[in-house]
Amino acid sequence: MTHIYSSGPNGIVIPTEAPEWKANYPYLGEAGKKTLEIVQAFREGRRKMLPEEIPKNLIADKPRKNWPDIFITTNGLLVVREPVREVLERLDPGIHQFFPFDLKTKRGVAINGPWFAMNVTAEQDSIVLERSRVHLSESDPERLNSFFVEPQDGDVVVDPARQSGLNLWREKRFNMSLLGSDAFQTELEAKGIKFFPSFRAQSLGASATRA
């Protein structure tokens, strides 16, 4: 079974600041072009990242009583706790990038981690478009925007024959997509890991189910 995570605008977005990174990568002038390329790269998993391109320190905008095990920063960086990294390194060894960093409050108090910036560049092209309820991009039909805002189980159909055994990946034609295997989802639930909300895809040839 394939699980599709709400990792885009509907995911868990937590405002943060990265003063040191921002000083090295300003958004203005000619340097801003490089900064935007880096942000798009780690936001969409477009390429492997260099350690110096990832923030080393993040400051949370507001305190929280409970922190999720995965969230997205304001500029689209995927952040995970150690339990998520451990599961993925066991299921997909050496496939995904993880960069350690410090997460603190504005008062400089460390927020319990360890924390990692996660870069998912692994891609598959397994969604059967003609059988799925998805957004079609008028400007770029080969690079689709996202799934529907309020998707339901069975809205998206995948072809298992076009999946290579990855446990976490991005769909090649969907910006900011994040999909996972049943094995990955089972591990998350068994360990009580608070991950992104998700819905289930229908496998090609199977009967559709709805929540």
Side-chain angles (χ1 to χ4, degrees):
M1 185 180 295
T2 298
H3 299 262
I4 303 174
Y5 300 104
S6 296
S7 61
N10 297 324
I12 304 169
V13 179
I14 296 180
T16 59
E17 289 289 336
E20 296 176 7
W21 182 88
K22 195 172 181 179
N24 294 326
Y25 295 99
Y27 280 92
L28 300 176
E30 191 65 25
K33 296 180 181 179
K34 176 61 176 177
T35 301
L36 288 175
E37 187 276 326
I38 290 173
V39 169
Q40 288 178 336
F42 64 59
R43 183 176 61 193
E44 300 179 12
R46 292 189 176 184
R47 62 170 173 82
K48 294 290 186 181
M49 305 303 300
L50 300 174
E52 59 267 24
E53 295 175 327
I54 301 295
K56 302 293 188 298
N57 298 281
L58 285 180
I59 299 173
D61 185 55
K62 295 180 181 179
R64 296 173 62 99
K65 289 185 178 180
N66 297 302
W67 284 82
D69 294 305
I70 184 169
F71 67 89
I72 309 169
T73 67
T74 309
N75 62 4
L77 188 70
L78 274 174
V79 173
V80 298
R81 280 196 215 254
E82 168 62 23
V84 178
R85 188 196 72 84
E86 187 276 328
V87 169
L88 283 169
E89 282 294 86
R90 183 156 37 82
L91 294 178
D92 289 340
I95 298 296
H96 315 294
Q97 288 185 296
F98 297 93
F99 301 92
F101 68 89
D102 292 326
L103 178 63
K104 298 180 179 180
T105 67
K106 288 184 177 180
R107 294 185 177 182
V109 178
I111 298 171
N112 188 37
W115 296 98
F116 298 86
M118 179 174 71
N119 186 34
V120 180
T121 60
E123 287 187 333
Q124 295 189 125
D125 190 13
S126 65
I127 290 179
V128 183
L129 292 181
E130 60 271 20
R131 298 281 299 276
S132 302
R133 182 173 178 260
V134 297
H135 283 300
L136 297 178
S137 173
E138 294 181 1
S139 60
D140 188 1
E142 293 302 313
R143 195 70 179 174
L144 307 175
N145 291 324
S146 63
F147 305 104
F148 268 75
V149 176
E150 296 181 357
Q152 300 181 64
D153 290 349
D155 276 352
V156 174
V157 176
V158 297
D159 184 353
R162 288 156 55 180
Q163 295 179 346
S164 63
L166 287 168
N167 289 281
L168 188 69
W169 70 93
R170 298 181 186 274
E171 274 292 313
K172 190 173 183 180
R173 291 176 287 178
F174 287 81
N175 290 335
M176 297 181 69
S177 61
L178 198 64
L179 288 79
S181 69
D182 205 29
F184 178 54
Q185 182 65 23
T186 298
E187 287 266 8
L188 296 178
E189 294 174 0
K191 293 181 177 296
I193 294 173
K194 298 177 182 177
F195 207 70
F196 290 136
S198 67
F199 65 100
R200 296 187 296 273
Q202 175 193 352
S203 293
L204 189 66
S207 298
T209 59
R210 299 215 178 237

